[in-house]
Amino acid sequence: MTKTPDLIVVNAAVFTADPAGTTAEAFAVVDGEFTAVGSSEEVTRLAGPETAVVDADGRMITPGICDVHTHLSLGGASVAWDLRIAPHYGLDEICEAIEARAAELEPGEWIAGGVIGSTTMDKLSNVDALARLDRASAGHPVVIKDDTQHNRWVNSAALEAMGVTEDSPDPEGGTYVRDEAGHLTGVLWEQASRVAEEAFAANIENPEARNRVTFVTAAKVCNEVGITTACDAATMEPALHTLSTLEAEGELTLRVVTSTVARPLLAEAGISGKELLAVSERFGSELLHVGFVKVFLDGVPMTRTAAMLDPYLPDGCSSHGPSSGECLYDLDGLVDELDEAVSAGRGVKIHAAGDASTRMALDAIEVMRRRHGSGPAFHIAHPLFVDPSDVRRFAELGIVADASPYLWYPSIIQDSMAACVPARTIEKSYPLADLLSSGANISAGSDWPAGAPMPHPWTGIETMITREAPGGSEETINSAQRLTLQEALLSFTRRPAEAMGLGERVGSIEVGKSADFLVLSQNLFDVDVRRIHETNVLATYLRGTRVHDANV
Protein backbone atom coordinates (compact mmCIF):
# COMPACT_ATOMS: atom_id res chain seq x y z
CA MET A 1 0.00 0.00 0.00
CA THR A 2 1.34 3.45 -0.96
CA LYS A 3 2.18 5.57 2.07
CA THR A 4 0.78 9.04 2.48
CA PRO A 5 3.50 11.67 1.89
CA ASP A 6 5.20 13.25 4.86
CA LEU A 7 5.83 16.33 2.73
CA ILE A 8 4.69 17.70 -0.59
CA VAL A 9 6.11 20.71 -2.42
CA VAL A 10 3.81 22.39 -4.95
CA ASN A 11 3.66 25.45 -7.21
CA ALA A 12 7.39 25.28 -7.97
CA ALA A 13 9.67 25.57 -10.99
CA VAL A 14 11.50 22.28 -10.46
CA PHE A 15 14.80 21.68 -12.22
CA THR A 16 15.02 17.93 -11.76
CA ALA A 17 18.48 17.38 -13.33
CA ASP A 18 17.28 13.94 -14.45
CA PRO A 19 18.71 12.41 -17.65
CA ALA A 20 15.51 13.13 -19.59
CA GLY A 21 15.57 16.85 -18.77
CA THR A 22 12.17 16.61 -17.08
CA THR A 23 10.61 19.74 -15.63
CA ALA A 24 7.95 19.59 -12.95
CA GLU A 25 5.81 21.68 -10.62
CA ALA A 26 5.71 19.50 -7.55
CA PHE A 27 6.93 16.40 -5.75
CA ALA A 28 6.12 14.23 -2.75
CA VAL A 29 8.43 12.88 -0.04
CA VAL A 30 7.98 9.75 2.10
CA ASP A 31 10.57 8.64 4.67
CA GLY A 32 13.16 10.99 3.21
CA GLU A 33 12.77 9.90 -0.43
CA PHE A 34 11.04 11.35 -3.47
CA THR A 35 7.96 9.23 -4.21
CA ALA A 36 6.27 11.31 -6.90
CA VAL A 37 7.35 14.08 -9.28
CA GLY A 38 4.85 15.85 -11.49
CA SER A 39 2.21 18.55 -11.60
CA SER A 40 0.87 20.35 -8.55
CA GLU A 41 -2.55 18.85 -9.18
CA GLU A 42 -1.21 15.28 -9.34
CA VAL A 43 0.93 15.63 -6.21
CA THR A 44 -1.69 17.46 -4.16
CA ARG A 45 -4.05 14.50 -4.59
CA LEU A 46 -1.54 12.33 -2.71
CA ALA A 47 -1.58 14.43 0.46
CA GLY A 48 -3.23 13.31 3.68
CA PRO A 49 -4.32 15.23 6.77
CA GLU A 50 -0.83 14.94 8.34
CA THR A 51 1.11 15.85 5.20
CA ALA A 52 3.21 19.01 5.44
CA VAL A 53 2.64 21.24 2.43
CA VAL A 54 5.21 23.70 1.09
CA ASP A 55 3.89 26.17 -1.46
CA ALA A 56 6.98 27.36 -3.35
CA ASP A 57 5.10 30.34 -4.79
CA GLY A 58 6.65 29.73 -8.20
CA ARG A 59 10.22 29.68 -6.95
CA MET A 60 12.92 27.57 -8.54
CA ILE A 61 13.83 24.30 -6.84
CA THR A 62 16.94 22.30 -7.68
CA PRO A 63 18.54 19.15 -6.33
CA GLY A 64 20.99 19.74 -3.50
CA ILE A 65 24.42 20.80 -4.71
CA CYS A 66 27.00 18.00 -4.80
CA ASP A 67 30.50 19.40 -4.22
CA VAL A 68 33.01 16.93 -5.65
CA HIS A 69 36.03 18.48 -3.91
CA THR A 70 36.10 20.34 -0.60
CA HIS A 71 38.06 20.37 2.66
CA LEU A 72 35.61 20.32 5.53
CA SER A 73 38.19 20.43 8.32
CA LEU A 74 40.11 23.36 6.87
CA GLY A 75 36.95 25.15 5.77
CA GLY A 76 35.15 24.70 9.07
CA ALA A 77 38.20 25.84 11.00
CA SER A 78 38.58 28.90 8.79
CA VAL A 79 35.10 30.05 9.83
CA ALA A 80 34.98 28.78 13.41
CA TRP A 81 38.48 29.50 14.65
CA ASP A 82 40.80 31.32 12.28
CA LEU A 83 41.81 34.94 12.21
CA ARG A 84 40.13 36.18 9.05
CA ILE A 85 42.50 37.81 6.59
CA ALA A 86 41.25 38.93 3.19
CA PRO A 87 43.32 37.82 0.19
CA HIS A 88 43.74 41.43 -0.95
CA TYR A 89 45.42 42.47 2.33
CA GLY A 90 48.97 43.76 2.08
CA LEU A 91 51.70 43.37 4.70
CA ASP A 92 50.53 46.28 6.85
CA GLU A 93 46.90 45.11 6.94
CA ILE A 94 47.93 41.53 7.75
CA CYS A 95 50.12 42.70 10.61
CA GLU A 96 47.44 45.05 11.94
CA ALA A 97 45.00 42.13 12.13
CA ILE A 98 47.60 39.99 13.90
CA GLU A 99 48.44 42.77 16.33
CA ALA A 100 44.77 43.14 17.27
CA ARG A 101 44.38 39.37 17.80
CA ALA A 102 47.58 39.21 19.87
CA ALA A 103 46.17 41.79 22.27
CA GLU A 104 43.22 39.45 23.03
CA LEU A 105 45.24 36.32 23.85
CA GLU A 106 46.97 34.86 26.86
CA PRO A 107 50.77 34.58 26.65
CA GLY A 108 51.95 31.72 24.45
CA GLU A 109 48.66 31.20 22.60
CA TRP A 110 48.97 30.64 18.87
CA ILE A 111 47.52 32.90 16.21
CA ALA A 112 46.28 30.86 13.25
CA GLY A 113 44.39 32.14 10.26
CA GLY A 114 44.29 33.06 6.63
CA VAL A 115 44.28 33.71 3.86
CA ILE A 116 47.21 35.56 2.34
CA GLY A 117 46.68 36.23 -1.35
CA SER A 118 49.12 34.56 -3.69
CA THR A 119 50.30 37.89 -5.08
CA THR A 120 51.08 39.09 -1.54
CA MET A 121 52.73 35.82 -0.57
CA ASP A 122 55.28 36.40 -3.33
CA LYS A 123 56.43 39.56 -1.52
CA LEU A 124 56.97 38.12 1.98
CA SER A 125 60.18 36.16 1.41
CA ASN A 126 62.46 38.63 3.18
CA VAL A 127 63.71 39.24 6.70
CA ASP A 128 62.17 42.72 6.89
CA ALA A 129 58.68 41.25 6.48
CA LEU A 130 59.46 38.60 9.09
CA ALA A 131 60.64 41.27 11.53
CA ARG A 132 57.41 43.20 10.95
CA LEU A 133 55.41 40.04 11.68
CA ASP A 134 57.42 39.38 14.84
CA ARG A 135 56.68 42.85 16.18
CA ALA A 136 52.96 42.55 15.43
CA SER A 137 52.62 39.14 17.08
CA ALA A 138 54.17 40.22 20.41
CA GLY A 139 55.74 36.82 21.05
CA HIS A 140 52.72 34.69 20.08
CA PRO A 141 53.50 31.93 17.55
CA VAL A 142 51.79 32.70 14.23
CA VAL A 143 50.85 30.42 11.33
CA ILE A 144 48.94 31.94 8.41
CA LYS A 145 47.77 30.03 5.33
CA ASP A 146 47.89 31.28 1.77
CA ASP A 147 44.91 31.12 -0.56
CA THR A 148 46.02 27.81 -2.07
CA GLN A 149 46.23 26.20 1.40
CA HIS A 150 49.54 24.69 0.26
CA ASN A 151 51.85 27.28 1.83
CA ARG A 152 52.25 29.13 5.13
CA TRP A 153 53.84 32.23 6.63
CA VAL A 154 55.07 31.87 10.21
CA ASN A 155 56.92 34.11 12.63
CA SER A 156 60.11 33.48 14.57
CA ALA A 157 58.24 32.16 17.62
CA ALA A 158 56.55 29.54 15.41
CA LEU A 159 59.87 28.59 13.78
CA GLU A 160 61.26 28.04 17.28
CA ALA A 161 58.27 25.87 18.23
CA MET A 162 58.81 23.92 15.01
CA GLY A 163 62.46 23.32 15.92
CA VAL A 164 63.57 25.03 12.70
CA THR A 165 66.83 26.97 12.61
CA GLU A 166 68.85 28.43 9.78
CA ASP A 167 70.84 25.17 9.72
CA SER A 168 67.73 22.99 9.36
CA PRO A 169 67.50 21.02 6.11
CA ASP A 170 64.35 21.40 4.05
CA PRO A 171 61.79 18.64 4.62
CA GLU A 172 61.14 16.25 1.77
CA GLY A 173 58.71 17.87 -0.64
CA GLY A 174 58.91 21.28 1.02
CA THR A 175 61.06 24.37 1.53
CA TYR A 176 61.90 26.69 4.40
CA VAL A 177 62.26 29.74 2.18
CA ARG A 178 65.44 31.75 2.78
CA ASP A 179 66.70 35.04 1.41
CA GLU A 180 69.83 35.41 -0.69
CA ALA A 181 71.96 35.50 2.47
CA GLY A 182 70.49 32.21 3.67
CA HIS A 183 68.30 33.69 6.43
CA LEU A 184 64.86 32.21 7.15
CA THR A 185 61.95 34.40 6.04
CA GLY A 186 59.10 32.49 7.68
CA VAL A 187 57.63 31.54 4.30
CA LEU A 188 57.00 27.79 4.00
CA TRP A 189 56.39 25.99 0.73
CA GLU A 190 54.39 22.77 0.49
CA GLN A 191 55.46 20.02 2.98
CA ALA A 192 57.30 22.56 5.15
CA SER A 193 53.79 23.75 6.05
CA ARG A 194 53.08 20.38 7.66
CA VAL A 195 55.83 21.01 10.22
CA ALA A 196 54.12 24.24 11.25
CA GLU A 197 50.69 22.59 11.42
CA GLU A 198 52.05 19.79 13.61
CA ALA A 199 53.51 22.34 16.03
CA PHE A 200 50.22 24.23 16.10
CA ALA A 201 48.16 21.05 16.64
CA ALA A 202 50.36 20.03 19.57
CA ASN A 203 49.13 23.10 21.46
CA ILE A 204 45.38 22.45 21.12
CA GLU A 205 44.11 21.49 24.59
CA ASN A 206 40.90 19.68 23.59
CA PRO A 207 41.12 18.57 19.93
CA GLU A 208 37.93 16.48 20.13
CA ALA A 209 35.81 19.46 21.20
CA ARG A 210 37.47 21.66 18.61
CA ASN A 211 36.84 19.10 15.85
CA ARG A 212 33.17 18.91 16.73
CA VAL A 213 32.74 22.66 16.39
CA THR A 214 34.80 22.62 13.20
CA PHE A 215 32.65 20.03 11.42
CA VAL A 216 29.32 21.37 12.68
CA THR A 217 30.38 24.75 11.33
CA ALA A 218 31.48 23.25 8.01
CA ALA A 219 28.14 21.51 7.54
CA LYS A 220 26.24 24.68 8.43
CA VAL A 221 28.20 26.73 5.90
CA CYS A 222 27.61 24.10 3.23
CA ASN A 223 23.87 23.95 3.94
CA GLU A 224 23.58 27.74 3.78
CA VAL A 225 24.93 27.83 0.23
CA GLY A 226 22.97 24.74 -0.85
CA ILE A 227 25.49 21.91 -0.55
CA THR A 228 23.95 18.66 0.67
CA THR A 229 26.62 16.18 -0.48
CA ALA A 230 30.36 16.78 -0.37
CA CYS A 231 33.46 14.82 -1.21
CA ASP A 232 35.99 15.64 1.50
CA ALA A 233 39.18 15.67 -0.54
CA ALA A 234 41.68 14.86 2.22
CA THR A 235 40.16 13.04 5.18
CA MET A 236 42.16 12.42 8.33
CA GLU A 237 41.34 10.04 11.20
CA PRO A 238 39.83 12.71 13.52
CA ALA A 239 37.40 13.66 10.75
CA LEU A 240 36.16 10.08 10.48
CA HIS A 241 35.49 9.86 14.21
CA THR A 242 33.87 13.29 14.45
CA LEU A 243 31.59 12.86 11.42
CA SER A 244 30.52 9.41 12.60
CA THR A 245 29.72 10.71 16.08
CA LEU A 246 27.74 13.64 14.70
CA GLU A 247 25.67 11.32 12.53
CA ALA A 248 25.01 8.93 15.42
CA GLU A 249 23.76 11.87 17.47
CA GLY A 250 21.56 13.19 14.66
CA GLU A 251 23.70 16.30 14.26
CA LEU A 252 25.21 15.71 10.81
CA THR A 253 23.37 17.76 8.19
CA LEU A 254 25.59 16.89 5.23
CA ARG A 255 26.28 13.71 3.27
CA VAL A 256 30.06 13.19 3.16
CA VAL A 257 32.21 11.02 0.92
CA THR A 258 35.72 10.65 2.34
CA SER A 259 39.15 10.55 0.70
CA THR A 260 41.84 9.18 3.02
CA VAL A 261 45.31 10.48 2.20
CA ALA A 262 48.02 8.26 0.73
CA ARG A 263 50.90 10.28 2.19
CA PRO A 264 51.23 12.72 5.11
CA LEU A 265 49.06 15.76 4.55
CA LEU A 266 50.72 19.16 4.56
CA ALA A 267 47.72 20.90 6.14
CA GLU A 268 46.95 18.49 9.00
CA ALA A 269 48.93 16.13 11.18
CA GLY A 270 48.04 12.44 11.58
CA ILE A 271 48.37 8.95 10.16
CA SER A 272 48.15 8.29 6.43
CA GLY A 273 48.54 5.56 3.82
CA LYS A 274 47.81 1.94 4.72
CA GLU A 275 47.39 2.77 8.40
CA LEU A 276 44.66 5.34 7.74
CA LEU A 277 43.10 3.11 5.08
CA ALA A 278 42.75 0.31 7.65
CA VAL A 279 41.19 2.64 10.24
CA SER A 280 38.69 3.95 7.70
CA GLU A 281 37.33 0.44 7.07
CA ARG A 282 35.44 0.73 10.37
CA PHE A 283 33.29 3.57 9.05
CA GLY A 284 30.43 3.82 6.58
CA SER A 285 26.75 4.73 6.85
CA GLU A 286 23.92 6.60 5.15
CA LEU A 287 25.64 9.97 5.52
CA LEU A 288 29.30 8.92 5.79
CA HIS A 289 30.69 7.08 2.78
CA VAL A 290 34.28 5.82 2.70
CA GLY A 291 34.99 6.13 -0.99
CA PHE A 292 38.39 7.41 -2.13
CA VAL A 293 42.12 7.66 -1.53
CA LYS A 294 43.70 11.06 -2.18
CA VAL A 295 47.05 11.17 -3.97
CA PHE A 296 49.03 14.40 -4.32
CA LEU A 297 51.01 14.24 -7.55
CA ASP A 298 52.40 17.79 -7.50
CA GLY A 299 52.00 21.21 -5.91
CA VAL A 300 50.54 24.45 -7.27
CA PRO A 301 51.57 26.77 -10.11
CA MET A 302 51.82 29.85 -7.88
CA THR A 303 54.92 28.44 -6.16
CA ARG A 304 56.22 26.63 -9.25
CA THR A 305 55.58 23.27 -7.63
CA ALA A 306 53.00 22.09 -10.18
CA ALA A 307 54.62 19.90 -12.84
CA MET A 308 54.38 21.67 -16.19
CA LEU A 309 55.27 20.66 -19.73
CA ASP A 310 56.75 24.10 -20.48
CA PRO A 311 59.14 26.04 -18.22
CA TYR A 312 57.85 28.65 -15.82
CA LEU A 313 58.48 32.30 -16.58
CA PRO A 314 61.91 33.52 -15.45
CA ASP A 315 60.70 36.49 -13.39
CA GLY A 316 57.80 37.65 -11.29
CA CYS A 317 57.61 34.65 -8.98
CA SER A 318 59.67 32.82 -6.39
CA SER A 319 62.66 31.02 -7.82
CA HIS A 320 61.74 27.92 -5.82
CA GLY A 321 62.04 24.55 -7.50
CA PRO A 322 62.98 23.30 -10.95
CA SER A 323 62.11 25.37 -13.99
CA SER A 324 59.08 23.23 -14.87
CA GLY A 325 58.18 21.84 -11.46
CA GLU A 326 58.22 18.13 -10.75
CA CYS A 327 55.96 15.23 -9.89
CA LEU A 328 56.10 13.70 -6.43
CA TYR A 329 55.97 10.17 -7.91
CA ASP A 330 57.51 8.51 -10.91
CA LEU A 331 55.12 6.59 -13.15
CA ASP A 332 55.80 3.18 -11.61
CA GLY A 333 55.41 4.57 -8.11
CA LEU A 334 52.14 6.22 -9.00
CA VAL A 335 50.79 3.02 -10.55
CA ASP A 336 51.71 1.14 -7.38
CA GLU A 337 49.91 3.75 -5.25
CA LEU A 338 46.78 3.51 -7.39
CA ASP A 339 46.93 -0.29 -7.38
CA GLU A 340 47.01 -0.35 -3.59
CA ALA A 341 43.93 1.85 -3.34
CA VAL A 342 41.98 -0.07 -5.98
CA SER A 343 42.87 -3.37 -4.32
CA ALA A 344 41.31 -2.00 -1.13
CA GLY A 345 38.10 -1.26 -3.03
CA ARG A 346 38.59 2.50 -3.19
CA GLY A 347 38.44 5.06 -5.93
CA VAL A 348 41.32 7.50 -6.30
CA LYS A 349 41.33 11.29 -6.42
CA ILE A 350 44.60 12.59 -7.86
CA HIS A 351 45.76 16.16 -7.29
CA ALA A 352 47.43 17.16 -10.57
CA ALA A 353 47.62 20.93 -11.04
CA GLY A 354 50.03 20.99 -13.98
CA ASP A 355 49.73 19.68 -17.52
CA ALA A 356 52.76 17.40 -17.03
CA SER A 357 51.34 15.88 -13.84
CA THR A 358 47.96 15.50 -15.55
CA ARG A 359 49.63 13.55 -18.33
CA MET A 360 51.37 11.28 -15.83
CA ALA A 361 48.04 10.70 -14.06
CA LEU A 362 46.43 9.78 -17.38
CA ASP A 363 49.30 7.41 -18.20
CA ALA A 364 49.00 5.70 -14.81
CA ILE A 365 45.23 5.35 -15.08
CA GLU A 366 45.63 3.86 -18.54
CA VAL A 367 47.74 1.12 -16.94
CA MET A 368 45.08 0.66 -14.26
CA ARG A 369 42.33 0.28 -16.85
CA ARG A 370 44.27 -2.50 -18.55
CA ARG A 371 44.69 -4.24 -15.20
CA HIS A 372 41.30 -3.64 -13.58
CA GLY A 373 38.86 -2.66 -16.30
CA SER A 374 36.32 0.13 -16.15
CA GLY A 375 35.14 -0.43 -12.58
CA PRO A 376 37.46 1.66 -10.36
CA ALA A 377 36.65 5.36 -10.07
CA PHE A 378 39.38 7.88 -10.85
CA HIS A 379 39.22 11.65 -10.48
CA ILE A 380 41.90 14.05 -11.70
CA ALA A 381 41.51 17.13 -9.55
CA HIS A 382 42.22 20.66 -10.76
CA PRO A 383 42.30 20.31 -14.57
CA LEU A 384 43.60 23.87 -14.83
CA PHE A 385 46.10 22.97 -17.49
CA VAL A 386 45.47 20.04 -19.82
CA ASP A 387 47.45 19.70 -23.01
CA PRO A 388 45.00 19.63 -25.98
CA SER A 389 46.28 16.21 -26.99
CA ASP A 390 45.28 14.84 -23.58
CA VAL A 391 41.72 16.18 -23.40
CA ARG A 392 40.09 13.22 -25.16
CA ARG A 393 41.81 10.75 -22.81
CA PHE A 394 39.54 11.72 -19.89
CA ALA A 395 36.50 10.29 -21.66
CA GLU A 396 38.37 7.41 -23.24
CA LEU A 397 39.65 6.27 -19.83
CA GLY A 398 36.44 7.05 -17.92
CA ILE A 399 38.09 9.70 -15.73
CA VAL A 400 36.19 12.40 -13.87
CA ALA A 401 37.47 15.93 -14.46
CA ASP A 402 37.27 17.26 -10.89
CA ALA A 403 36.88 20.94 -11.79
CA SER A 404 38.04 22.66 -8.64
CA PRO A 405 38.43 25.30 -7.38
CA TYR A 406 36.44 27.98 -9.20
CA LEU A 407 39.48 29.47 -10.95
CA TRP A 408 38.00 29.84 -14.41
CA TYR A 409 37.49 33.59 -13.98
CA PRO A 410 39.80 36.59 -13.32
CA SER A 411 40.97 36.64 -9.70
CA ILE A 412 43.95 37.24 -7.42
CA ILE A 413 45.11 33.66 -7.83
CA GLN A 414 44.87 33.97 -11.60
CA ASP A 415 47.07 37.07 -11.39
CA SER A 416 49.64 35.13 -9.41
CA MET A 417 49.59 32.25 -11.88
CA ALA A 418 50.01 34.67 -14.77
CA ALA A 419 53.27 35.85 -13.17
CA CYS A 420 54.60 32.29 -13.26
CA VAL A 421 52.97 30.46 -16.17
CA PRO A 422 53.36 31.47 -19.85
CA ALA A 423 50.38 33.34 -21.30
CA ARG A 424 49.88 30.70 -24.00
CA THR A 425 49.27 28.14 -21.25
CA ILE A 426 47.00 30.40 -19.19
CA GLU A 427 44.93 31.06 -22.30
CA LYS A 428 44.14 27.33 -22.55
CA SER A 429 43.21 26.88 -18.88
CA TYR A 430 40.21 24.88 -17.70
CA PRO A 431 39.14 23.41 -21.09
CA LEU A 432 35.73 22.47 -19.72
CA ALA A 433 33.75 22.70 -22.96
CA ASP A 434 36.29 20.55 -24.81
CA LEU A 435 36.28 17.97 -22.01
CA LEU A 436 32.49 17.89 -21.96
CA SER A 437 32.12 17.63 -25.73
CA SER A 438 34.56 14.71 -25.75
CA GLY A 439 32.26 12.86 -23.34
CA ALA A 440 34.04 13.42 -20.02
CA ASN A 441 32.24 13.85 -16.71
CA ILE A 442 32.81 17.47 -15.64
CA SER A 443 32.12 17.63 -11.90
CA ALA A 444 32.50 20.91 -10.03
CA GLY A 445 34.13 21.33 -6.67
CA SER A 446 34.82 24.38 -4.53
CA ASP A 447 38.13 23.17 -3.02
CA TRP A 448 36.99 25.27 -0.04
CA PRO A 449 38.79 27.04 1.58
CA ALA A 450 41.44 27.03 -1.18
CA GLY A 451 40.70 29.60 -3.84
CA ALA A 452 37.78 31.29 -2.06
CA PRO A 453 36.72 31.90 1.55
CA MET A 454 33.31 30.26 1.03
CA PRO A 455 32.16 27.28 -1.08
CA HIS A 456 29.67 29.41 -3.02
CA PRO A 457 28.36 27.28 -5.92
CA TRP A 458 26.36 30.11 -7.49
CA THR A 459 29.55 32.03 -8.20
CA GLY A 460 31.02 28.89 -9.73
CA ILE A 461 27.94 28.29 -11.89
CA GLU A 462 27.80 31.87 -13.19
CA THR A 463 31.48 32.07 -14.03
CA MET A 464 31.49 28.61 -15.60
CA ILE A 465 29.03 30.12 -18.08
CA THR A 466 30.64 33.56 -18.54
CA ARG A 467 34.34 32.92 -17.78
CA GLU A 468 34.23 36.49 -16.44
CA ALA A 469 34.50 37.85 -12.91
CA PRO A 470 31.23 37.63 -10.92
CA GLY A 471 28.85 40.28 -12.23
CA GLY A 472 30.72 40.50 -15.53
CA SER A 473 34.07 41.90 -16.60
CA GLU A 474 35.92 42.88 -19.76
CA GLU A 475 38.63 40.37 -18.96
CA THR A 476 37.84 36.69 -19.48
CA ILE A 477 39.70 33.42 -18.96
CA ASN A 478 39.60 31.15 -22.04
CA SER A 479 36.11 32.27 -23.06
CA ALA A 480 35.89 29.59 -25.78
CA GLN A 481 35.31 27.08 -22.96
CA ARG A 482 32.05 28.57 -21.68
CA LEU A 483 29.30 26.11 -20.75
CA THR A 484 25.54 26.59 -20.93
CA LEU A 485 23.44 27.08 -17.80
CA GLN A 486 22.03 23.57 -18.17
CA GLU A 487 25.53 22.09 -18.48
CA ALA A 488 26.80 24.07 -15.51
CA LEU A 489 23.89 23.04 -13.28
CA LEU A 490 24.45 19.37 -14.12
CA SER A 491 28.12 19.81 -13.27
CA PHE A 492 27.07 20.87 -9.77
CA THR A 493 24.34 18.23 -9.25
CA ARG A 494 23.95 14.96 -11.13
CA ARG A 495 27.45 14.61 -12.57
CA PRO A 496 29.34 14.96 -9.26
CA ALA A 497 26.85 12.63 -7.59
CA GLU A 498 27.71 10.02 -10.22
CA ALA A 499 31.41 10.80 -9.82
CA MET A 500 31.19 10.10 -6.08
CA GLY A 501 29.45 6.78 -6.66
CA LEU A 502 26.13 8.11 -5.37
CA GLY A 503 24.30 8.56 -8.65
CA GLU A 504 21.57 6.12 -7.67
CA ARG A 505 20.96 8.02 -4.44
CA VAL A 506 21.41 11.77 -5.01
CA GLY A 507 22.05 14.44 -7.62
CA SER A 508 18.59 14.72 -9.19
CA ILE A 509 14.94 14.95 -8.20
CA GLU A 510 13.67 11.51 -9.18
CA VAL A 511 11.44 8.91 -7.56
CA GLY A 512 13.44 6.69 -5.23
CA LYS A 513 16.26 9.15 -4.57
CA SER A 514 17.02 10.95 -1.33
CA ALA A 515 14.91 14.09 -0.97
CA ASP A 516 17.79 16.55 -1.04
CA PHE A 517 16.63 19.82 -2.58
CA LEU A 518 16.91 23.61 -2.48
CA VAL A 519 14.49 26.51 -2.69
CA LEU A 520 16.18 29.43 -4.47
CA SER A 521 15.63 33.17 -4.29
CA GLN A 522 15.53 33.51 -8.08
CA ASN A 523 14.93 31.38 -11.14
CA LEU A 524 18.32 31.03 -12.79
CA PHE A 525 16.71 30.61 -16.21
CA ASP A 526 14.84 33.92 -15.89
CA VAL A 527 17.64 36.27 -14.76
CA ASP A 528 20.65 37.78 -16.49
CA VAL A 529 23.35 35.14 -16.23
CA ARG A 530 25.67 37.72 -14.63
CA ARG A 531 23.32 37.87 -11.63
CA ILE A 532 23.46 34.18 -10.81
CA HIS A 533 26.11 34.83 -8.16
CA GLU A 534 23.47 36.87 -6.29
CA THR A 535 21.36 33.73 -5.72
CA ASN A 536 20.42 33.00 -2.12
CA VAL A 537 19.29 29.63 -0.85
CA LEU A 538 16.03 30.18 1.01
CA ALA A 539 15.82 26.60 2.28
CA THR A 540 17.94 23.45 2.11
CA TYR A 541 16.48 19.99 2.66
CA LEU A 542 18.43 16.80 3.36
CA ARG A 543 16.39 13.57 3.21
CA GLY A 544 13.22 15.64 3.36
CA THR A 545 14.24 17.51 6.51
CA ARG A 546 14.95 21.23 6.40
CA VAL A 547 18.56 21.82 7.51
CA HIS A 548 18.74 25.48 6.52
CA ASP A 549 16.09 28.17 6.59
CA ALA A 550 17.12 31.68 5.54
CA ASN A 551 14.22 33.12 7.52
CA VAL A 552 15.45 31.72 10.83
Side-chain angles (χ1 to χ4, degrees), residues 241-369:
H241 289 288
T242 304
L243 290 167
S244 180
T245 297
L246 289 173
E247 181 178 11
E249 296 175 356
E251 298 295 324
L252 185 58
T253 60
L254 184 70
R255 184 178 286 99
V256 180
V257 178
T258 66
S259 308
T260 59
V261 294
R263 289 185 177 179
L265 188 64
L266 61 86
E268 297 178 74
I271 62 173
S272 60
K274 291 181 180 179
E275 188 178 4
L276 181 56
L277 196 61
V279 169
S280 69
E281 294 288 352
R282 303 199 299 265
F283 298 89
S285 58
E286 168 63 17
L287 294 182
L288 182 58
H289 300 261
V290 179
F292 291 84
V293 169
K294 177 69 174 292
V295 174
F296 286 90
L297 187 49
D298 64 351
V300 292
M302 291 71 75
T303 55
R304 302 184 175 216
T305 51
M308 304 295 294
L309 294 172
D310 293 327
Y312 286 102
L313 296 175
D315 299 308
C317 183
S318 164
S319 60
H320 169 76
S323 61
S324 298
E326 59 185 348
C327 290
L328 302 176
Y329 293 79
D330 60 21
L331 181 59
D332 289 342
L334 179 58
V335 169
D336 289 345
E337 192 79 88
L338 302 187
D339 222 354
E340 185 174 293
V342 169
S343 297
R346 304 294 173 85
V348 186
K349 186 181 286 289
I350 305 173
H351 168 110
D355 48 12
S357 56
T358 297
R359 179 168 292 175
M360 180 184 284
L362 291 164
D363 291 344
I365 294 169
E366 187 170 347
V367 174
M368 296 300 293
R369 290 297 185 215

Side-chain angles (χ1 to χ4, degrees), residues 333-471:
L334 179 58
V335 169
D336 289 345
E337 192 79 88
L338 302 187
D339 222 354
E340 185 174 293
V342 169
S343 297
R346 304 294 173 85
V348 186
K349 186 181 286 289
I350 305 173
H351 168 110
D355 48 12
S357 56
T358 297
R359 179 168 292 175
M360 180 184 284
L362 291 164
D363 291 344
I365 294 169
E366 187 170 347
V367 174
M368 296 300 293
R369 290 297 185 215
R370 290 198 296 267
R371 290 183 184 179
H372 300 282
S374 61
F378 294 104
H379 298 184
I380 295 182
H382 323 305
L384 277 163
F385 306 121
V386 183
D387 189 80
S389 65
D390 288 326
V391 167
R392 60 179 175 75
R393 300 178 69 193
F394 279 77
E396 291 172 353
L397 295 170
I399 298 167
V400 172
D402 169 345
S404 65
Y406 311 146
L407 290 182
W408 41 76
Y409 65 89
S411 65
I412 289 174
I413 295 183
Q414 282 283 358
D415 291 343
S416 184
M417 283 194 291
C420 300
V421 177
R424 64 181 178 275
T425 304
I426 294 286
E427 289 165 1
K428 297 183 293 185
S429 65
Y430 269 125
L432 301 183
D434 288 346
L435 284 163
L436 189 61
S437 65
S438 73
N441 178 331
I442 304 295
S443 292
S446 63
D447 203 11
W448 180 52
M454 289 292 171
H456 197 255
W458 314 104
T459 295
I461 290 169
E462 175 184 319
T463 57
M464 187 178 274
I465 300 165
T466 66
R467 305 291 286 230
E468 302 169 6

Side-chain angles (χ1 to χ4, degrees), residues 110-198:
W110 281 67
I111 299 172
V115 294
I116 298 174
S118 293
T119 52
T120 301
M121 196 75 172
D122 294 341
K123 304 171 185 176
L124 300 179
S125 301
N126 61 80
V127 293
D128 291 338
L130 177 59
R132 176 76 175 88
L133 177 62
D134 287 343
R135 291 194 298 273
S137 55
H140 295 276
V142 174
V143 55
I144 304 294
K145 306 174 184 71
D146 78 340
D147 50 13
T148 73
Q149 302 291 312
H150 278 241
N151 311 297
R152 303 290 185 274
W153 190 36
V154 300
N155 66 351
S156 297
L159 288 168
E160 182 178 355
M162 294 161 59
V164 174
T165 69
E166 294 195 349
D167 296 327
S168 298
D170 289 336
E172 183 178 0
T175 304
Y176 302 127
V177 178
R178 295 168 166 84
D179 65 10
E180 293 180 356
H183 300 304
L184 293 167
T185 65
V187 173
L188 311 176
W189 288 156
E190 298 292 337
Q191 285 294 334
S193 300
R194 181 169 57 85
V195 184
E197 292 295 341
E198 288 174 345

